[in-house]
Amino acid sequence: IMDIGSELCKVVATFIFQKIILDDGGFNYVTSHPKRLHTVLVILNNVINQMVVAPSGRLLKSVTKCLIRLADNPKACEEMREGVSENLRDSTFAQVLAEDVSYRRLVYQLIIKLS
């Protein structure tokens, strides 16, 4: 039960963060300061890396949507090219990619933005 609660908290927190950065004011706040932006990217990478053991499709989608939005900022995009978790690019989440076409589209969209 603790794992379900913990996952739910992460999903909700990531969803709230996603809503914040979809708003231009929230996006500008997060991306306007290099340390703040770096901290956010580290946290999102940590969430991705924690899912290696127990992937959550819903959480992966939400984190990926956040990364896609952050990639709209040139500095964030540059930092993500170097530092986005390799787990998004390799076969770590192949099962989720195989089962969820919408997630697969999001990952491709992120890869295109970062290339």
Side-chain angles (χ1 to χ4, degrees):
I1 293 177
M2 285 294 270
D3 288 339
I4 294 170
S6 175
E7 180 183 330
L8 182 60
C9 287
K10 289 177 188 173
V11 169
V12 170
T14 306
F15 179 76
I16 292 169
F17 177 71
Q18 180 185 336
K19 291 297 181 190
I20 290 169
I21 62 172
L22 285 175
D23 174 76
D24 287 339
F27 178 77
N28 290 334
Y29 177 80
V30 169
T31 59
S32 65
H33 194 275
K35 283 187 178 184
R36 186 178 305 135
L37 176 61
H38 177 76
T39 300
V40 165
L41 293 174
V42 166
I43 291 168
L44 292 173
N45 271 329
N46 286 341
V47 172
I48 293 165
N49 294 334
Q50 289 173 7
M51 282 189 286
V52 170
V53 177
S56 161
R58 180 174 283 163
L59 185 54
L60 278 168
K61 278 185 187 179
S62 193
V63 169
T64 305
K65 287 176 183 178
C66 289
L67 292 171
I68 289 168
R69 174 64 171 140
L70 290 171
D72 289 341
N73 176 279
K75 290 179 184 175
C77 193
E78 186 177 320
E79 186 170 339
M80 287 191 305
R81 280 187 192 111
E82 305 281 322
V84 77
S85 176
E86 284 298 318
N87 294 317
L88 283 181
R89 299 175 196 219
D90 63 19
S91 61
T92 301
F93 301 117
Q95 175 108 15
V96 179
L97 285 168
E99 295 171 356
D100 190 336
V101 175
S102 64
Y103 176 64
R104 189 168 41 236
R105 286 186 192 125
L106 289 172
V107 170
Y108 293 144
Q109 185 179 353
L110 178 62
I111 289 170
I112 288 168
K113 276 193 165 204
L114 296 180
S115 57

